[in-house]
Amino acid sequence: GHSEGGRSVGYLAKISMCRVIVVDDDDASLGEYIELISGLCYECIGVNNVRSALDVLRDNDTIGIVVTDLRTPGIDGFTFLEEISERYSNKRPIVPIVISGFISLENTVRVMRSGAIDFIEKPICVNDLAASLRRASLRLAQLAYKRSAKSGFLEFYEDDAATDHTSTKETD
């Protein structure tokens, strides 16, 4: 297929302004995260349990980034990440960021294996969150690009990629 420059820029803008869903059972934390993330110019939806989050993801395909606490009532964060992977890995790109009050080596390994792009320790600072959201947006664009495989789509991102220190090794 042919790609007009204009169309791919529009698509890119849509992705870079992608929506974020935040999951935390503590209302005060949830409110704080929503405020921080909205302040960083991302559209943000907050829910206080995993079941609601799964419903929102099902009904809203513009959400590309999931920010979740590991300790969530009912269904825990790990199970949530597995569910996301199971339901959506073949359908659409969704990039998780995990927040936890306690980061053990075991948890870190599990989180990274689950496809999360970052693991942030509480209390979170806005700079860490901003960096994680930037990385997640970049990963989202890469995944969407792979999916659409339109030539010329990624050139707008190359400046960002050069300064991004996450590993870009492809494991296919």
Short mmCIF file of all heavy atoms in Angstrom, two decimals, residues 71-133:
data_model
loop_
_atom_site.label_atom_id
_atom_site.label_comp_id
_atom_site.label_asym_id
_atom_site.label_seq_id
_atom_site.Cartn_x
_atom_site.Cartn_y
_atom_site.Cartn_z
N ARG A 71 -0.30 -5.04 43.89
CA ARG A 71 -1.26 -5.52 44.88
C ARG A 71 -2.62 -4.90 44.62
O ARG A 71 -2.88 -3.77 44.98
CB ARG A 71 -0.80 -5.16 46.29
CG ARG A 71 0.37 -6.00 46.73
CD ARG A 71 0.64 -5.86 48.21
NE ARG A 71 1.84 -6.57 48.57
CZ ARG A 71 2.71 -6.16 49.48
NH1 ARG A 71 2.49 -5.03 50.14
NH2 ARG A 71 3.78 -6.86 49.75
N THR A 72 -3.45 -5.65 43.94
CA THR A 72 -4.81 -5.19 43.68
C THR A 72 -5.76 -6.24 44.22
O THR A 72 -5.47 -7.43 44.17
CB THR A 72 -5.03 -5.00 42.15
OG1 THR A 72 -4.51 -6.13 41.46
CG2 THR A 72 -4.33 -3.76 41.63
N PRO A 73 -6.89 -5.80 44.77
CA PRO A 73 -7.81 -6.75 45.40
C PRO A 73 -8.43 -7.70 44.38
O PRO A 73 -8.63 -7.33 43.23
CB PRO A 73 -8.88 -5.84 46.01
CG PRO A 73 -8.83 -4.59 45.22
CD PRO A 73 -7.41 -4.43 44.77
N GLY A 74 -8.72 -8.91 44.80
CA GLY A 74 -9.33 -9.88 43.89
C GLY A 74 -8.27 -10.46 42.97
O GLY A 74 -7.60 -11.43 43.30
N ILE A 75 -8.12 -9.84 41.82
CA ILE A 75 -7.13 -10.31 40.84
C ILE A 75 -5.86 -9.47 41.02
O ILE A 75 -5.92 -8.25 40.96
CB ILE A 75 -7.67 -10.11 39.40
CG1 ILE A 75 -9.05 -10.76 39.25
CG2 ILE A 75 -6.70 -10.67 38.38
CD1 ILE A 75 -9.78 -10.40 37.98
N ASP A 76 -4.72 -10.12 41.26
CA ASP A 76 -3.50 -9.34 41.50
C ASP A 76 -2.87 -8.85 40.20
O ASP A 76 -3.29 -9.22 39.10
CB ASP A 76 -2.49 -10.12 42.34
CG ASP A 76 -1.77 -11.20 41.54
OD1 ASP A 76 -2.21 -11.53 40.43
OD2 ASP A 76 -0.75 -11.71 42.04
N GLY A 77 -1.89 -7.98 40.35
CA GLY A 77 -1.25 -7.34 39.20
C GLY A 77 -0.65 -8.32 38.21
O GLY A 77 -0.75 -8.13 37.00
N PHE A 78 -0.03 -9.40 38.72
CA PHE A 78 0.59 -10.37 37.82
C PHE A 78 -0.45 -11.06 36.95
O PHE A 78 -0.27 -11.22 35.75
CB PHE A 78 1.37 -11.43 38.61
CG PHE A 78 2.66 -10.92 39.18
CD1 PHE A 78 2.89 -10.96 40.55
CD2 PHE A 78 3.64 -10.39 38.35
CE1 PHE A 78 4.08 -10.49 41.07
CE2 PHE A 78 4.84 -9.91 38.87
CZ PHE A 78 5.06 -9.96 40.24
N THR A 79 -1.55 -11.46 37.58
CA THR A 79 -2.63 -12.12 36.84
C THR A 79 -3.21 -11.16 35.81
O THR A 79 -3.53 -11.55 34.68
CB THR A 79 -3.74 -12.59 37.81
OG1 THR A 79 -3.12 -13.28 38.90
CG2 THR A 79 -4.72 -13.50 37.11
N PHE A 80 -3.32 -9.89 36.19
CA PHE A 80 -3.82 -8.85 35.29
C PHE A 80 -2.92 -8.76 34.05
O PHE A 80 -3.39 -8.75 32.91
CB PHE A 80 -3.85 -7.53 36.03
CG PHE A 80 -4.35 -6.35 35.24
CD1 PHE A 80 -5.34 -6.50 34.27
CD2 PHE A 80 -3.84 -5.08 35.48
CE1 PHE A 80 -5.80 -5.41 33.54
CE2 PHE A 80 -4.30 -3.98 34.76
CZ PHE A 80 -5.28 -4.14 33.79
N LEU A 81 -1.60 -8.73 34.27
CA LEU A 81 -0.65 -8.64 33.15
C LEU A 81 -0.77 -9.86 32.23
O LEU A 81 -0.72 -9.74 31.01
CB LEU A 81 0.79 -8.51 33.67
CG LEU A 81 1.11 -7.22 34.44
CD1 LEU A 81 2.52 -7.28 35.01
CD2 LEU A 81 0.93 -5.99 33.56
N GLU A 82 -0.94 -11.05 32.85
CA GLU A 82 -1.12 -12.27 32.06
C GLU A 82 -2.39 -12.19 31.21
O GLU A 82 -2.40 -12.58 30.05
CB GLU A 82 -1.18 -13.50 32.97
CG GLU A 82 0.19 -13.97 33.45
CD GLU A 82 0.08 -14.89 34.69
OE1 GLU A 82 -1.00 -15.48 34.90
OE2 GLU A 82 1.08 -14.97 35.42
N GLU A 83 -3.46 -11.70 31.84
CA GLU A 83 -4.74 -11.55 31.13
C GLU A 83 -4.60 -10.62 29.92
O GLU A 83 -5.10 -10.91 28.84
CB GLU A 83 -5.80 -10.97 32.07
CG GLU A 83 -6.46 -11.98 32.96
CD GLU A 83 -7.34 -12.96 32.18
OE1 GLU A 83 -8.14 -12.52 31.33
OE2 GLU A 83 -7.21 -14.17 32.42
N ILE A 84 -3.92 -9.49 30.13
CA ILE A 84 -3.73 -8.52 29.04
C ILE A 84 -2.99 -9.20 27.89
O ILE A 84 -3.39 -9.10 26.73
CB ILE A 84 -2.92 -7.29 29.53
CG1 ILE A 84 -3.76 -6.46 30.50
CG2 ILE A 84 -2.47 -6.43 28.34
CD1 ILE A 84 -2.99 -5.33 31.15
N SER A 85 -1.92 -9.91 28.23
CA SER A 85 -1.11 -10.57 27.22
C SER A 85 -1.94 -11.61 26.46
O SER A 85 -1.92 -11.68 25.23
CB SER A 85 0.10 -11.21 27.88
OG SER A 85 0.79 -12.00 26.95
N GLU A 86 -2.69 -12.40 27.23
CA GLU A 86 -3.50 -13.47 26.64
C GLU A 86 -4.58 -12.92 25.71
O GLU A 86 -4.79 -13.43 24.61
CB GLU A 86 -4.17 -14.25 27.77
CG GLU A 86 -4.21 -15.74 27.56
CD GLU A 86 -4.56 -16.45 28.87
OE1 GLU A 86 -5.76 -16.64 29.12
OE2 GLU A 86 -3.62 -16.76 29.64
N ARG A 87 -5.25 -11.86 26.16
CA ARG A 87 -6.38 -11.34 25.40
C ARG A 87 -5.98 -10.48 24.21
O ARG A 87 -6.67 -10.45 23.20
CB ARG A 87 -7.30 -10.49 26.30
CG ARG A 87 -8.00 -11.30 27.35
CD ARG A 87 -8.94 -10.40 28.16
NE ARG A 87 -9.45 -11.11 29.32
CZ ARG A 87 -10.50 -10.71 30.03
NH1 ARG A 87 -11.13 -9.61 29.69
NH2 ARG A 87 -10.92 -11.41 31.07
N TYR A 88 -4.87 -9.72 24.38
CA TYR A 88 -4.61 -8.67 23.38
C TYR A 88 -3.31 -8.80 22.60
O TYR A 88 -3.12 -8.05 21.65
CB TYR A 88 -4.64 -7.30 24.07
CG TYR A 88 -5.99 -7.00 24.67
CD1 TYR A 88 -6.19 -7.01 26.04
CD2 TYR A 88 -7.08 -6.74 23.84
CE1 TYR A 88 -7.44 -6.76 26.58
CE2 TYR A 88 -8.34 -6.48 24.37
CZ TYR A 88 -8.51 -6.50 25.75
OH TYR A 88 -9.74 -6.26 26.27
N SER A 89 -2.42 -9.72 22.97
CA SER A 89 -1.11 -9.74 22.30
C SER A 89 -1.24 -9.92 20.78
O SER A 89 -0.42 -9.41 20.03
CB SER A 89 -0.20 -10.81 22.90
OG SER A 89 -0.79 -12.07 22.78
N ASN A 90 -2.28 -10.61 20.33
CA ASN A 90 -2.47 -10.78 18.89
C ASN A 90 -3.43 -9.77 18.28
O ASN A 90 -3.64 -9.76 17.08
CB ASN A 90 -2.98 -12.19 18.58
CG ASN A 90 -1.97 -13.24 18.97
OD1 ASN A 90 -0.77 -13.04 18.78
ND2 ASN A 90 -2.44 -14.33 19.55
N LYS A 91 -4.01 -8.91 19.12
CA LYS A 91 -5.04 -8.00 18.62
C LYS A 91 -4.56 -6.57 18.51
O LYS A 91 -4.77 -5.90 17.52
CB LYS A 91 -6.26 -8.04 19.55
CG LYS A 91 -7.01 -9.35 19.53
CD LYS A 91 -8.43 -9.16 20.05
CE LYS A 91 -9.18 -10.49 20.11
NZ LYS A 91 -9.11 -11.12 21.45
N ARG A 92 -3.92 -6.08 19.57
CA ARG A 92 -3.51 -4.67 19.56
C ARG A 92 -2.39 -4.47 20.58
O ARG A 92 -2.28 -5.23 21.55
CB ARG A 92 -4.68 -3.77 19.90
CG ARG A 92 -5.20 -3.90 21.33
CD ARG A 92 -6.47 -3.08 21.52
NE ARG A 92 -6.45 -2.24 22.69
CZ ARG A 92 -7.44 -2.20 23.60
NH1 ARG A 92 -8.47 -2.99 23.45
NH2 ARG A 92 -7.37 -1.40 24.61
N PRO A 93 -1.56 -3.45 20.38
CA PRO A 93 -0.48 -3.24 21.34
C PRO A 93 -0.97 -2.58 22.62
O PRO A 93 -1.70 -1.59 22.58
CB PRO A 93 0.48 -2.31 20.58
CG PRO A 93 -0.32 -1.68 19.50
CD PRO A 93 -1.51 -2.54 19.23
N ILE A 94 -0.60 -3.16 23.76
CA ILE A 94 -0.85 -2.56 25.07
C ILE A 94 0.44 -2.70 25.87
O ILE A 94 1.00 -3.78 25.95
CB ILE A 94 -2.01 -3.27 25.81
CG1 ILE A 94 -3.33 -3.05 25.05
CG2 ILE A 94 -2.12 -2.75 27.25
CD1 ILE A 94 -4.52 -3.77 25.67
N VAL A 95 0.91 -1.59 26.42
CA VAL A 95 2.19 -1.60 27.14
C VAL A 95 1.97 -1.31 28.62
O VAL A 95 1.49 -0.24 28.98
CB VAL A 95 3.15 -0.54 26.54
CG1 VAL A 95 4.48 -0.57 27.27
CG2 VAL A 95 3.35 -0.78 25.05
N PRO A 96 2.31 -2.28 29.49
CA PRO A 96 2.12 -2.07 30.93
C PRO A 96 3.31 -1.38 31.61
O PRO A 96 4.47 -1.59 31.24
CB PRO A 96 1.97 -3.49 31.49
CG PRO A 96 1.90 -4.41 30.30
CD PRO A 96 2.60 -3.69 29.19
N ILE A 97 2.97 -0.57 32.63
CA ILE A 97 3.96 -0.02 33.57
C ILE A 97 3.47 -0.47 34.94
O ILE A 97 2.29 -0.33 35.26
CB ILE A 97 3.99 1.52 33.51
CG1 ILE A 97 4.49 2.00 32.14
CG2 ILE A 97 4.85 2.09 34.63
CD1 ILE A 97 4.32 3.50 31.92
N VAL A 98 4.38 -1.03 35.75
CA VAL A 98 3.98 -1.56 37.05
C VAL A 98 4.53 -0.69 38.18
O VAL A 98 5.67 -0.25 38.15
CB VAL A 98 4.48 -3.02 37.21
CG1 VAL A 98 4.20 -3.53 38.61
CG2 VAL A 98 3.81 -3.92 36.17
N ILE A 99 3.68 -0.46 39.17
CA ILE A 99 4.06 0.32 40.35
C ILE A 99 3.97 -0.60 41.56
O ILE A 99 3.03 -1.40 41.67
CB ILE A 99 3.10 1.51 40.55
CG1 ILE A 99 3.24 2.49 39.39
CG2 ILE A 99 3.36 2.22 41.87
CD1 ILE A 99 2.18 3.58 39.39
N SER A 100 4.92 -0.51 42.47
CA SER A 100 4.84 -1.35 43.67
C SER A 100 5.54 -0.67 44.84
O SER A 100 6.51 0.03 44.67
CB SER A 100 5.47 -2.71 43.41
OG SER A 100 5.43 -3.49 44.59
N GLY A 101 5.00 -0.93 46.02
CA GLY A 101 5.61 -0.40 47.23
C GLY A 101 6.83 -1.22 47.64
O GLY A 101 7.65 -0.79 48.44
N PHE A 102 6.96 -2.42 47.05
CA PHE A 102 8.05 -3.31 47.43
C PHE A 102 8.60 -3.99 46.19
O PHE A 102 7.91 -4.78 45.56
CB PHE A 102 7.55 -4.35 48.43
CG PHE A 102 8.60 -5.36 48.80
CD1 PHE A 102 9.72 -4.98 49.53
CD2 PHE A 102 8.48 -6.68 48.41
CE1 PHE A 102 10.70 -5.91 49.87
CE2 PHE A 102 9.45 -7.62 48.74
CZ PHE A 102 10.57 -7.22 49.48
N ILE A 103 9.83 -3.65 45.83
CA ILE A 103 10.43 -4.25 44.64
C ILE A 103 11.48 -5.27 45.05
O ILE A 103 12.55 -4.93 45.53
CB ILE A 103 11.08 -3.16 43.76
CG1 ILE A 103 9.98 -2.21 43.24
CG2 ILE A 103 11.83 -3.78 42.60
CD1 ILE A 103 10.43 -1.23 42.19
N SER A 104 11.14 -6.54 44.88
CA SER A 104 12.11 -7.60 45.14
C SER A 104 12.67 -8.05 43.79
O SER A 104 12.09 -7.78 42.75
CB SER A 104 11.43 -8.79 45.82
OG SER A 104 10.49 -9.37 44.93
N LEU A 105 13.79 -8.75 43.84
CA LEU A 105 14.38 -9.25 42.60
C LEU A 105 13.40 -10.19 41.89
O LEU A 105 13.21 -10.11 40.68
CB LEU A 105 15.70 -9.99 42.90
CG LEU A 105 16.44 -10.51 41.67
CD1 LEU A 105 16.79 -9.37 40.72
CD2 LEU A 105 17.68 -11.28 42.06
N GLU A 106 12.77 -11.06 42.68
CA GLU A 106 11.83 -12.03 42.11
C GLU A 106 10.69 -11.32 41.38
O GLU A 106 10.31 -11.67 40.27
CB GLU A 106 11.27 -12.91 43.23
CG GLU A 106 10.34 -14.01 42.75
CD GLU A 106 9.54 -14.63 43.88
OE1 GLU A 106 9.68 -14.20 45.05
OE2 GLU A 106 8.76 -15.56 43.59
N ASN A 107 10.14 -10.28 42.04
CA ASN A 107 9.05 -9.51 41.43
C ASN A 107 9.51 -8.80 40.16
O ASN A 107 8.80 -8.76 39.16
CB ASN A 107 8.50 -8.47 42.40
CG ASN A 107 7.49 -9.08 43.35
OD1 ASN A 107 7.14 -10.26 43.24
ND2 ASN A 107 7.02 -8.28 44.29
N THR A 108 10.72 -8.24 40.21
CA THR A 108 11.25 -7.52 39.05
C THR A 108 11.34 -8.45 37.85
O THR A 108 10.91 -8.11 36.75
CB THR A 108 12.64 -6.92 39.36
OG1 THR A 108 12.51 -6.09 40.52
CG2 THR A 108 13.14 -6.09 38.20
N VAL A 109 11.88 -9.64 38.08
CA VAL A 109 12.02 -10.62 36.99
C VAL A 109 10.64 -10.98 36.44
O VAL A 109 10.41 -10.99 35.24
CB VAL A 109 12.77 -11.89 37.48
CG1 VAL A 109 12.71 -12.98 36.43
CG2 VAL A 109 14.21 -11.54 37.81
N ARG A 110 9.69 -11.25 37.34
CA ARG A 110 8.33 -11.61 36.90
C ARG A 110 7.68 -10.48 36.11
O ARG A 110 7.02 -10.72 35.10
CB ARG A 110 7.46 -11.94 38.12
CG ARG A 110 7.58 -13.37 38.56
CD ARG A 110 6.60 -13.67 39.70
NE ARG A 110 5.23 -13.88 39.22
CZ ARG A 110 4.19 -14.04 40.04
NH1 ARG A 110 4.35 -14.01 41.36
NH2 ARG A 110 2.98 -14.23 39.56
N VAL A 111 7.85 -9.26 36.60
CA VAL A 111 7.24 -8.11 35.93
C VAL A 111 7.82 -7.94 34.53
O VAL A 111 7.08 -7.74 33.56
CB VAL A 111 7.45 -6.82 36.77
CG1 VAL A 111 7.18 -5.58 35.94
CG2 VAL A 111 6.54 -6.84 37.99
N MET A 112 9.15 -8.03 34.41
CA MET A 112 9.77 -7.83 33.10
C MET A 112 9.40 -8.96 32.13
O MET A 112 9.19 -8.73 30.95
CB MET A 112 11.29 -7.69 33.23
CG MET A 112 11.71 -6.40 33.91
SD MET A 112 10.82 -4.94 33.23
CE MET A 112 11.28 -3.66 34.38
N ARG A 113 9.29 -10.18 32.66
CA ARG A 113 8.87 -11.30 31.81
C ARG A 113 7.44 -11.12 31.31
O ARG A 113 7.06 -11.64 30.28
CB ARG A 113 8.95 -12.62 32.59
CG ARG A 113 10.35 -13.16 32.65
CD ARG A 113 10.34 -14.67 32.89
NE ARG A 113 11.70 -15.15 33.02
CZ ARG A 113 12.15 -15.82 34.08
NH1 ARG A 113 11.35 -16.11 35.09
NH2 ARG A 113 13.40 -16.21 34.13
N SER A 114 6.66 -10.41 32.09
CA SER A 114 5.24 -10.25 31.73
C SER A 114 5.05 -9.21 30.63
O SER A 114 3.94 -8.93 30.23
CB SER A 114 4.46 -9.81 32.96
OG SER A 114 4.77 -8.46 33.24
N GLY A 115 6.14 -8.60 30.18
CA GLY A 115 6.01 -7.65 29.08
C GLY A 115 5.90 -6.21 29.53
O GLY A 115 5.74 -5.30 28.71
N ALA A 116 5.97 -5.96 30.85
CA ALA A 116 5.93 -4.57 31.33
C ALA A 116 7.20 -3.85 30.87
O ALA A 116 8.26 -4.45 30.80
CB ALA A 116 5.82 -4.54 32.84
N ILE A 117 7.06 -2.57 30.60
CA ILE A 117 8.22 -1.82 30.12
C ILE A 117 8.99 -1.21 31.29
O ILE A 117 10.17 -0.93 31.19
CB ILE A 117 7.81 -0.74 29.09
CG1 ILE A 117 9.06 -0.27 28.33
CG2 ILE A 117 7.08 0.41 29.75
CD1 ILE A 117 8.75 0.31 26.99
N ASP A 118 8.32 -1.04 32.43
CA ASP A 118 8.97 -0.45 33.59
C ASP A 118 8.35 -0.92 34.89
O ASP A 118 7.18 -1.28 34.94
CB ASP A 118 8.90 1.08 33.54
CG ASP A 118 10.19 1.68 33.00
OD1 ASP A 118 11.25 1.08 33.21
OD2 ASP A 118 10.12 2.74 32.36
N PHE A 119 9.17 -0.85 35.95
CA PHE A 119 8.74 -1.20 37.30
C PHE A 119 9.14 -0.02 38.18
O PHE A 119 10.32 0.24 38.36
CB PHE A 119 9.49 -2.48 37.71
CG PHE A 119 8.90 -3.20 38.89
CD1 PHE A 119 7.76 -2.75 39.53
CD2 PHE A 119 9.50 -4.35 39.36
CE1 PHE A 119 7.21 -3.43 40.61
CE2 PHE A 119 8.98 -5.04 40.45
CZ PHE A 119 7.84 -4.58 41.07
N ILE A 120 8.17 0.72 38.67
CA ILE A 120 8.46 1.93 39.45
C ILE A 120 8.13 1.68 40.92
O ILE A 120 7.07 1.16 41.25
CB ILE A 120 7.61 3.12 38.96
CG1 ILE A 120 7.75 3.30 37.44
CG2 ILE A 120 8.02 4.39 39.68
CD1 ILE A 120 6.85 4.39 36.90
N GLU A 121 9.05 2.10 41.78
CA GLU A 121 8.84 1.91 43.21
C GLU A 121 8.09 3.10 43.80
O GLU A 121 8.31 4.25 43.42
CB GLU A 121 10.20 1.75 43.91
CG GLU A 121 10.06 1.27 45.34
CD GLU A 121 11.37 0.74 45.91
OE1 GLU A 121 12.43 0.99 45.30
OE2 GLU A 121 11.32 0.09 46.96
N LYS A 122 7.18 2.81 44.72
CA LYS A 122 6.47 3.86 45.46
C LYS A 122 7.39 4.39 46.56
O LYS A 122 8.16 3.63 47.10
CB LYS A 122 5.22 3.30 46.13
CG LYS A 122 4.06 3.00 45.22
CD LYS A 122 2.94 2.47 46.10
CE LYS A 122 1.72 2.09 45.31
NZ LYS A 122 0.69 1.50 46.18
N PRO A 123 7.27 5.64 46.98
CA PRO A 123 6.42 6.67 46.35
C PRO A 123 7.02 7.09 45.01
O PRO A 123 8.23 7.26 44.92
CB PRO A 123 6.46 7.81 47.36
CG PRO A 123 7.73 7.62 48.12
CD PRO A 123 8.02 6.15 48.11
N ILE A 124 6.18 7.25 44.00
CA ILE A 124 6.72 7.54 42.67
C ILE A 124 7.01 9.02 42.52
O ILE A 124 6.31 9.87 43.08
CB ILE A 124 5.77 7.09 41.54
CG1 ILE A 124 4.41 7.76 41.65
CG2 ILE A 124 5.64 5.59 41.49
CD1 ILE A 124 3.52 7.48 40.45
N CYS A 125 8.09 9.32 41.79
CA CYS A 125 8.37 10.73 41.51
C CYS A 125 7.96 11.00 40.06
O CYS A 125 8.00 10.10 39.21
CB CYS A 125 9.82 11.09 41.78
SG CYS A 125 10.92 10.78 40.42
N VAL A 126 7.55 12.21 39.81
CA VAL A 126 6.97 12.56 38.52
C VAL A 126 7.96 12.35 37.37
O VAL A 126 7.57 11.95 36.28
CB VAL A 126 6.38 14.00 38.54
CG1 VAL A 126 7.49 15.02 38.64
CG2 VAL A 126 5.51 14.24 37.33
N ASN A 127 9.25 12.55 37.63
CA ASN A 127 10.24 12.36 36.56
C ASN A 127 10.33 10.90 36.12
O ASN A 127 10.45 10.61 34.94
CB ASN A 127 11.63 12.84 37.00
CG ASN A 127 11.68 14.36 37.15
OD1 ASN A 127 10.74 15.05 36.74
ND2 ASN A 127 12.74 14.87 37.73
N ASP A 128 10.30 9.98 37.11
CA ASP A 128 10.33 8.55 36.78
C ASP A 128 9.09 8.18 35.96
O ASP A 128 9.18 7.44 34.98
CB ASP A 128 10.35 7.69 38.05
CG ASP A 128 11.69 7.77 38.75
OD1 ASP A 128 12.66 8.27 38.14
OD2 ASP A 128 11.78 7.32 39.91
N LEU A 129 7.96 8.69 36.41
CA LEU A 129 6.70 8.38 35.73
C LEU A 129 6.72 8.93 34.30
O LEU A 129 6.33 8.25 33.36
CB LEU A 129 5.52 8.95 36.51
CG LEU A 129 4.14 8.59 36.01
CD1 LEU A 129 3.92 7.08 36.03
CD2 LEU A 129 3.06 9.28 36.83
N ALA A 130 7.20 10.16 34.15
CA ALA A 130 7.26 10.79 32.83
C ALA A 130 8.16 9.98 31.90
O ALA A 130 7.82 9.73 30.74
CB ALA A 130 7.77 12.23 32.94
N ALA A 131 9.31 9.54 32.42
CA ALA A 131 10.26 8.75 31.61
C ALA A 131 9.62 7.42 31.20
O ALA A 131 9.75 6.98 30.05
CB ALA A 131 11.55 8.52 32.38
N SER A 132 8.93 6.78 32.14
CA SER A 132 8.27 5.50 31.85
C SER A 132 7.19 5.66 30.79
O SER A 132 7.06 4.83 29.89
CB SER A 132 7.64 4.93 33.11
OG SER A 132 8.64 4.49 33.99
N LEU A 133 6.41 6.73 30.90
CA LEU A 133 5.34 6.97 29.93
C LEU A 133 5.91 7.25 28.54
O LEU A 133 5.36 6.82 27.53
CB LEU A 133 4.44 8.11 30.39
CG LEU A 133 3.52 7.77 31.58
CD1 LEU A 133 2.92 9.03 32.18
CD2 LEU A 133 2.41 6.80 31.17
#
